[in-house]
Structures are given as C-alpha cells and as structure tokens.
C-alpha cells in the first residue's frame, strides 16, 4: 500500500522536531495521506519529554551559552541531545487505517520492524525489543516514541549515525561531575551508533534507501510527495507558536507555580516531592493539607498516550485523601479508562504507588 514520503532534508530544530504535528493535523482531517517524514536537524538542540520538568532535567544555563534551543515535544520520554548525526523518521497515519494497529505495543512492533530491516540492510544486526527499543547486541541504536494527535497516530524515531556522549551528558542537569562521568560511562556501554557498528557512516542517501526498503518489508511503498499548503499553514499558525511559547516549554511549572519547594508552608499544608522508579521514572509533586491532595503534578520520562491523560489524572486526584487508597486507585484507573489511554514505561499501579509515597514522605 502506498504512503507519501516527505524528505525534508536538513531543517531547523523546530521543524525537525515539530513539523510532523502539522502533518498529523492534516492526516487527522483527511486532507493529507498517510505519511512518513525523513529529516535531520541542521543544528544541535535539546528536547525534553512532554511530562518532564525543564529545570529538573536540563542544564538550562549551559544550553543557553551554547546556543542550543530547548524544545518540549508532544510525546513522552526523556531529555535528549539531538544533532545532524541523527536521521529522523516520523510516521503518521489515520487511526482507522488498515496498516495502523490499534494497540500501542502492536504499533511499535509493526513499524519498528521496518526500521530493524533497514539497519540489517546496512549490515547491522539490529533487533526489536518490546515495547519500543531497537538494539544491537543489547545496545540501543534508535530512540522511539508514539502518540495520538486527534484522529492520527504518530510513531517517531531516529537512525543514530553517530553519538556525542560527552555533550549528551553535559546538557543534562546532574547532581555533580562524578555523576556526569558515570552517566557518560553508562551511555557508552548501552548506546551505539551506525559509525560504532560499521566503523564508518554510509552516505545519507544509502541510509534513506535502506529505510525505504525496510518499509517495503511491512507492505508500505513510500512514494515521494510534497508538503501541502494546509500543512504549512498548520505549522506556521498552530504548531510553531505553541512550541516556541514560554507557556508550553514551562507547561508543568506554569500550571503548578507553588509546587517546587519541599517545605512545610503553614499548619498542615506541606509541599512534597517524591520519585518512584517503575520501568521509567515517575516524579510526583504535591501540595498537601494533612493527607488531602490540594494540588498535584505528575512528571517523568514515561509515555502516556494521549499525553493529556496526565492532566486528567491530576484533576481526578485533586481533593482525594491519601488515607483513602481505594479512592486514589479508582481515580487513577477511571481517568485512564475515560481517556482510552495507554501507558508505556509505567502502569496505573505504578502511578498509584508513586502517589502513595507522598503519604510516607509527610508522615
């Protein structure tokens, strides 16, 4: 079955990171066909996940001195350093398309099979590892994510041609340099690249052609196409202004302006932060009156699809007492069910356990 291929080439960081949202809007409205985008950032930048707190994960001052833009994406995951040594693939299809699986795990398995085939065509023995990893002898060689944009489904990822381990660690906020050194060491142990595997980087067109052939293995024929006027308009009028806004970049902070100090405010009112390690990290920050939740923010590098379910969980928990475990668990479960949401890297029970740690912290 034919899908449109948009090869944008080298583009500015915002277009590389966000243009697919304009395509998703067009696909969702039925005015653009199912599409795969290839692009590369023309200059370096830092990208954080939709559920992360900027100041907690990125060394903002360092990034400013280096001229790195910081962009909050609309998908989950962690903070990453991105540059022109990564070829992005962005897959956008209608929810009801016969080649778009309805379940998130099947969605990853289906589309990442094409990327695995591409790597193998290049001579790299890549393997798919559920839920959303592509690995070579246990080392990660692609960062991937997924989301829903109105009636469109998105799967994104990258071909890591080369990787700057030192800079990838330098842009992150860490407790001290000893921790940063350990981070670099761990990255070198668990992340690989095309250059590392082959000793060289093949020509870019060869990598793109391998990807095109990889999609053929799952029944998708990529046909070169053009960006539509509607996509250009969506990007210029909706997508780009949102991603460049202070409100979006600092979304969690601006929604919860009082939550970022661990202090006793007055009487029984306390601000508490806890961290819970599921498959991914969950951070919960709450203002409590005794055990009653007055305000709460849930962050981390997990994926929530759609991402808006996190706001629904926060709203459902506001006013609940941590002493009433059944009410807390039910609020979380109902919010997820009502959003028809899927979590990757965390489960509803993980969210519950993270929230319950607030009670331990204040007592």
């Amino acid at each position: 079955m034919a899908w449109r291929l948009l090869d944008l080439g080298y583009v500015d960081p915002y277009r590389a990171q966000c243009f697919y949202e304009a395509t998703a809007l067009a696909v969702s409205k039925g005015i653009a066909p199912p599409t795969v985008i290839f692009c590369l950032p023309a200059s370096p930048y830092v990208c954080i996940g939709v559920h992360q707190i900027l100041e907690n994960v990125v060394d903002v001052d360092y990034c400013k001195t280096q001229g790195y833009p910081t962009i909050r994406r609309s998908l989950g995951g962690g903070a990453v350093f991105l540059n022109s040594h990564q070829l992005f693939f962005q897959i956008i299809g209608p929810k009801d398309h016969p080649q778009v699986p309805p379940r998130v795990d099947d969605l990853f398995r289906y589309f990442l099979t094409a990327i695995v085939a591409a790597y193998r065509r290049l001579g790299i023995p890549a393997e798919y590892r559920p839920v959303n990893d592509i690995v070579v002898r246990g080392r990660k060689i692609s960062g991937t994510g997924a989301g829903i944009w109105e009636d469109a489904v998105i799967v994104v990822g990258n071909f890591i041609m080369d990787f700057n381990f030192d800079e990838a660690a330098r842009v992150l906020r860490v407790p001290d340099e000893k921790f940063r050194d350990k981070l670099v060491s761990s990255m070198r142990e668990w992340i690989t690249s095309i250059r590392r595997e082959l000793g060289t980087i093949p020509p870019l067109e060869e990598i793109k052609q391998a990807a095109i052939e990889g999609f053929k293995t799952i029944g998708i024929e990529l046909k070169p196409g053009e960006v539509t006027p509607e996509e250009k308009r969506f990007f210029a009028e909706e997508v780009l202004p949102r991603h460049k806004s202070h409100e979006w970049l600092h979304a969690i902070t601006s929604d919860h302006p009082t939550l970022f100090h661990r202090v006793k405010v007055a009487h029984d009112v306390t601000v508490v932060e806890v961290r819970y390690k599921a498959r991914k990290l969950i951070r919960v920050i709450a203002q409590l009156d005794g055990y009653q939740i007055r305000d709460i923010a849930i962050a981390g590098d997990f994926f929530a699809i759609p991402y808006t379910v996190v706001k629904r969980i926060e709203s459902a928990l506001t006013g609940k007492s941590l002493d009433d475990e059944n009410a807390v668990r039910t609020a979380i479960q109902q919010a997820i069910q009502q959003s028809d949401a899927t979590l990757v890297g965390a489960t509803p029970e993980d969210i519950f356990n993270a929230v319950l740690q607030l009670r331990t912290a204040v007592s």
Side-chain angles (χ1 to χ4, degrees):
M1 193 172 293
W3 286 45
R4 177 181 58 160
L5 172 62
L6 293 180
D7 188 347
L8 304 182
Y10 289 92
V11 292
D12 70 86
Y14 282 96
R15 194 170 295 267
Q17 186 59 55
C18 312
F19 186 81
Y20 67 79
E21 293 181 20
T23 298
L25 284 170
V27 169
S28 179
K29 296 177 187 300
I31 55 179
T35 299
V36 174
I37 298 173
F38 292 161
C39 63
L40 306 90
S43 56
Y45 69 101
V46 176
C47 185
I48 65 172
V50 68
H51 308 302
Q52 293 192 293
I53 301 165
L54 173 63
E55 294 80 3
N56 286 0
V57 294
V58 172
D59 187 332
V60 176
D61 291 337
Y62 174 78
C63 290
K64 286 180 179 178
T65 65
Q66 300 303 304
Y68 299 151
T70 302
I71 303 173
R72 179 186 295 278
R73 60 183 176 272
S74 298
L75 305 179
V80 290
F81 174 73
L82 300 165
N83 61 16
S84 58
H85 285 139
Q86 290 149 60
L87 169 63
F88 295 174
F89 59 87
Q90 297 154 345
I91 305 163
I92 308 102
K95 279 184 184 178
D96 58 359
H97 193 278
Q99 289 177 299
V100 176
R103 288 170 46 90
V104 171
D105 52 352
D106 293 333
L107 188 73
F108 278 123
R109 182 179 295 106
Y110 175 67
F111 285 114
L112 296 189
T113 294
I115 308 306
V116 167
Y119 272 118
R120 290 180 178 176
R121 189 175 181 86
L122 294 169
I124 297 172
E127 297 178 343
Y128 167 69
R129 187 170 68 186
V131 173
N132 64 326
D133 281 330
I134 298 175
V135 300
V136 180
R137 291 179 283 270
R139 292 192 178 107
K140 183 176 181 177
I141 197 167
S142 180
T144 67
I148 296 173
W149 206 257
E150 295 190 1
D151 288 325
V153 172
I154 302 166
V155 177
V156 302
N158 57 357
F159 288 91
I160 302 177
M161 297 183 288
D162 203 356
F163 196 79
N164 188 332
F165 296 98
D166 292 324
E167 199 66 359
R170 183 63 187 86
V171 300
L172 301 180
R173 181 178 178 186
V174 297
D176 50 46
E177 290 308 309
K178 184 175 181 180
F179 186 96
R180 198 186 308 278
D181 290 342
K182 178 60 178 175
L183 180 60
V184 172
S185 174
S186 297
M187 286 181 175
R188 292 185 185 279
E189 184 177 359
W190 294 107
I191 299 175
T192 190
S193 66
I194 292 176
R195 182 189 293 279
R196 185 173 184 176
E197 295 301 321
L198 299 180
T200 187
I201 302 175
L204 182 58
E205 292 307 313
E206 185 178 332
I207 299 173
K208 290 178 181 178
Q209 189 58 42
I212 290 170
E213 297 299 322
F215 278 98
K216 286 182 181 179
T217 67
I218 62 171
I220 293 177
E221 187 84 17
L222 295 180
K223 301 291 186 181
E226 300 294 330
V227 175
T228 66
E230 291 82 7
E231 287 167 300
K232 293 178 181 178
R233 180 170 61 82
F234 291 150
F235 181 70
E237 296 180 2
E238 297 185 36
V239 176
L240 187 59
R242 180 177 71 254
H243 281 281
K244 282 196 167 185
S245 72
H246 180 275
E247 291 76 17
W248 173 255
L249 182 59
H250 298 271
I252 298 177
T253 313
S254 61
D255 284 351
H256 303 274
T258 65
L259 295 186
F260 300 100
H261 306 281
R262 189 180 299 181
V263 296
K264 182 174 181 179
V265 179
H267 306 297
D268 291 330
V269 177
T270 311
V271 174
V272 183
E273 175 182 6
V274 297
R275 299 183 181 192
Y276 182 85
K277 189 69 174 74
R279 285 187 60 201
K280 298 286 189 177
L281 178 69
I282 302 169
R283 178 184 284 116
V284 182
I285 307 161
Q287 185 185 97
L288 304 176
D289 187 350
Y291 285 148
Q292 185 182 43
I293 300 171
R294 296 182 57 161
D295 198 3
I296 187 166
I298 299 172
D301 57 358
F302 58 92
F303 288 85
I305 306 169
Y307 73 86
T308 51
V309 69
V310 174
K311 294 295 184 189
R312 178 169 279 190
I313 293 171
E314 292 169 352
S315 296
L317 288 171
T318 301
K320 297 292 187 294
S321 172
L322 296 171
D323 265 346
D324 191 343
E325 294 187 14
N326 185 59
V328 171
R329 179 182 275 112
T330 300
I332 294 168
Q333 292 174 340
Q334 287 183 347
I336 293 170
Q337 291 168 359
Q338 290 165 2
S339 298
D340 193 22
T342 301
L343 303 180
V344 178
T347 65
E349 192 67 11
D350 289 328
I351 301 291
F352 169 76
N353 288 333
V355 172
L356 257 290
Q357 282 193 344
L358 294 169
R359 186 175 64 186
T360 303
V362 294
S363 60

